[in-house]
Amino acid sequence: MSVLNPAPKVAILAGGFGTRLSEETAIRPKPMVEIGGMPILWHIMKLYAHYGCKEFVVIGGYKVEYIRDYFLNFRARNSDFTIDLCSGGLQFHSPTREDWKVTVLDTGNDTMTGGRIKRARPYLEDGTFFLTYGDGVSNVAMDRLLTEHRENGDWCTLTAVVQPGRYGSLHLDDAGRRVEGFREKGRTDGGLINGGFFACEPEIFDLIDGDDTVWEDVPMERLIERGKLGSYRHEGYWQSMDSLRDKQVLEGIWADSPPWKVWA
């Protein structure tokens, strides 16, 4: 593992409704659903921070006020303190461990994933950045992902992972690196899917038409047409949290020895 210097910013899509996890998302956005007493969003950010990436753009929408409240009160939630109820004076007794800079955006309830990314352009267009979803954990080697992305000159490099079941698979070229398309579950490529951890260049913003654009559809097709969508093969742990059962599985793993906890 190498700490990235300079470290890219990290954009996290955190605005969806999370309807398949309605037991939790009826009251809070899915990235705020807790695993081991901490939001899954925090787990994702800890992974990136492990590689020196400490500047985040959280792209919210549905119930974004919960995300705002979490970060506005982050230090108070995670520190001992003394408060003078008369004067309002506040003294913290323990430093906050997370030295992060966090931008929280409200991109609207009904904006699609591509539209959300485009709305974040002013905060991300100054160079290479990471992009991911706020509902999955992994031990992806971000330094290796970034190195491969830069060496191959792509505008976007996605992380290809093996996950059987309900997801559509990737169609890769003969070298097993360039993405040539997406299709329903197949076996000729080992069942590889888009794991949702991306390295991106600012050029991707011009491939997104507007709020109604789904990131995984037209922008991806345009990247493929230009030969600018690469893949990084991740052989390690990856798990999305799409249902209550997924949450329970992650809770059980966290209580034992979570493979995505790469930080000390």
Side-chain angles (χ1 to χ4, degrees):
M1 189 278 293
S2 62
V3 175
L4 301 173
N5 186 21
K9 294 178 183 177
V10 181
I12 304 176
L13 286 162
F17 289 99
T19 53
R20 286 184 289 184
L21 191 57
S22 58
E23 300 90 343
E24 294 274 355
T25 57
I27 58 173
R28 54 186 165 181
K30 186 157 67 163
M32 298 306 296
V33 174
E34 294 183 354
I35 303 297
M38 297 296 284
I40 193 169
L41 179 60
W42 174 86
H43 290 260
I44 296 166
M45 295 168 79
K46 288 289 284 186
L47 169 66
Y48 283 103
H50 179 65
Y51 289 92
C53 301
K54 299 182 180 182
E55 189 165 352
F56 300 92
V57 179
V58 180
I59 308 173
Y62 173 68
K63 295 188 180 295
V64 68
E65 63 272 14
Y66 283 80
I67 300 174
R68 286 173 167 166
D69 176 74
Y70 179 74
F71 288 110
L72 283 171
N73 297 287
F74 188 89
R75 189 172 185 185
R77 290 171 182 268
N78 294 279
S79 301
D80 295 333
F81 61 83
T82 298
I83 183 169
D84 186 321
L85 297 181
C86 181
S87 68
L90 181 63
Q91 178 185 4
F92 290 101
H93 301 302
S94 54
T96 302
R97 293 185 62 188
E98 320 303 357
D99 55 341
W100 304 342
K101 181 179 178 180
V102 183
T103 299
V104 179
L105 305 180
D106 181 2
T107 59
N109 275 6
D110 300 317
T111 307
M112 296 292 102
T113 48
R116 296 190 193 282
I117 294 168
K118 187 149 191 170
R119 287 197 184 200
R121 182 174 190 166
Y123 306 91
L124 299 168
E125 61 184 350
D126 55 350
T128 305
F129 63 94
F130 287 121
L131 169 70
T132 192
Y133 303 103
D135 62 356
V137 291
S138 180
N139 57 359
V140 174
M142 295 301 167
D143 53 348
R144 297 177 188 173
L145 166 60
L146 185 62
T147 296
E148 190 156 321
H149 170 73
R150 286 175 168 163
E151 285 179 349
N152 291 289
D154 289 316
W155 291 356
C156 178
T157 301
L158 58 78
T159 300
V161 301
V162 176
Q163 174 76 1
R166 59 188 178 275
Y167 302 97
S169 62
L170 300 173
H171 179 202
L172 304 182
D173 64 8
D174 291 340
R177 201 202 65 79
R178 186 79 59 186
V179 179
E180 295 185 338
F182 299 87
R183 62 175 180 271
E184 292 306 311
K185 307 167 216 173
R187 296 186 179 180
T188 59
D189 52 14
L192 291 174
I193 64 166
N194 171 16
F197 288 85
F198 306 90
C200 302
E201 299 301 321
E203 283 83 356
I204 69 160
F205 293 115
D206 292 327
L207 306 181
I208 302 170
D209 294 327
D211 284 356
D212 294 333
T213 304
V214 176
W215 164 242
E216 301 78 8
D217 291 343
V218 173
M220 290 284 187
E221 293 170 3
R222 290 171 174 168
L223 284 164
I224 291 169
E225 289 169 0
R226 290 162 174 77
K228 289 295 185 179
L229 180 59
S231 69
Y232 168 74
R233 179 72 176 265
H234 173 58
E235 304 283 356
Y237 184 83
W238 177 89
Q239 178 63 55
S240 63
M241 186 182 66
D242 289 322
S243 66
L244 184 60
R245 180 184 179 278
D246 292 337
K247 169 183 160 54
Q248 292 166 344
V249 168
L250 291 173
E251 284 276 13
I253 295 172
W254 179 258
D256 185 15
S257 181
W260 70 87
K261 187 181 180 298
V262 296
W263 58 91

